[in-house]
Amino acid sequence: MLTTNGEQLDVEWITALVTRTYAEHLTPIEFGAALKTHMNNFGSTEQQMRILASTLLRFATASSVPERRLLQCLEALVKAEAHPAILTLVSVFEGFRMTKKVDQMADSFFEMAQILEFPFSKMFEDMIRASLLIMLDAKESLGEELVASQAFFYVKLPQIVKHLLTLGAPLLDLTTALATICDNKTLLNQVDMKTKTNTLQHLLEQMAAAGVIDDVIVKSLLEKRFLAN
């Protein structure tokens, strides 16, 4: 998609603000003041706020140890703009799937959930739902895009979940989230039709193979998934 010079400048101010926040060690309050000044002078769009959130997260997770100050700036942005935090995170991390290690991704999810006081059950639910939506939105004309999104869903996502459990996220919260996903039959059916596979079943099997859940949980969830489908 081509962009005009004006659109490029809109992205440039975002990069400049985040770079300044990082380089000058701005506090979340100082970051918020700088952002408010720009918004008062030039306005902003929801898309720009999403790009800003993505850029903040990219800077915050550039090293193996997440930059807490930048995560706090992201927290302030999320709360102010009412963005669904974990959905945004999954979308961003899916884009970095080839460069980010599983433990880095899980650490960032865990810390963000703690900062935002976000229930782990909701975090798991949004992670899985967002990953399904990414597969559903993948352009069929670009076969590699769908394959990459499936690789993230079936390979990396179970490993991220496993690491989150080792960090202290409760298994019960994971099974609660999976049960909720089972009830989202419309989305699951749409993804199944697109990928020509039993999406949730394969995810559960991969989670079981990774030692995240046992066969009893898999059986129970599959019964719920296909009940009155």
Side-chain angles (χ1 to χ4, degrees), residues 105-151:
M105 298 163 72
D107 288 344
S108 295
F109 279 122
F110 189 83
E111 184 158 1
M112 181 57 65
Q114 288 187 314
I115 290 174
L116 296 177
E117 298 180 352
F118 202 68
F120 285 111
S121 59
K122 183 63 176 174
M123 179 192 70
F124 284 128
E125 180 187 338
D126 279 356
M127 287 171 62
I128 298 168
R129 180 183 289 109
S131 299
L132 289 167
L133 289 170
I134 289 168
M135 281 197 289
L136 190 61
D137 290 341
K139 296 180 177 61
E140 295 186 15
S141 58
L142 299 174
E144 66 275 11
E145 184 174 316
L146 180 58
V147 171
S149 63
Q150 287 178 299

Side-chain angles (χ1 to χ4, degrees), residues 43-114:
S44 65
T45 65
E46 181 178 348
Q47 179 64 20
Q48 288 173 332
M49 291 300 100
R50 290 188 180 278
I51 293 173
L52 177 56
S54 299
T55 307
L56 273 172
L57 186 64
R58 184 183 300 121
F59 274 70
T61 58
S63 63
S64 58
V65 179
E67 174 64 54
R68 186 173 182 82
R69 180 173 50 83
L70 292 181
L71 288 176
Q72 289 172 335
C73 291
L74 178 57
E75 172 197 3
L77 176 65
V78 168
K79 288 184 175 179
E81 298 298 324
H83 289 316
I86 304 302
L87 278 173
T88 300
L89 286 173
V90 173
S91 298
V92 172
F93 275 130
E94 197 278 337
F96 300 150
R97 59 188 174 272
M98 300 306 294
T99 59
K100 290 295 181 182
K101 295 181 179 179
V102 166
D103 55 350
Q104 285 181 265
M105 298 163 72
D107 288 344
S108 295
F109 279 122
F110 189 83
E111 184 158 1
M112 181 57 65
Q114 288 187 314

Side-chain angles (χ1 to χ4, degrees), residues 12 18 24 30 60 80 89 115 157 213 219:
E12 287 173 3
V18 177
E24 299 181 13
E30 291 170 331
L89 286 173
I115 290 174
L157 187 57
I213 54 178
K219 181 179 179 181

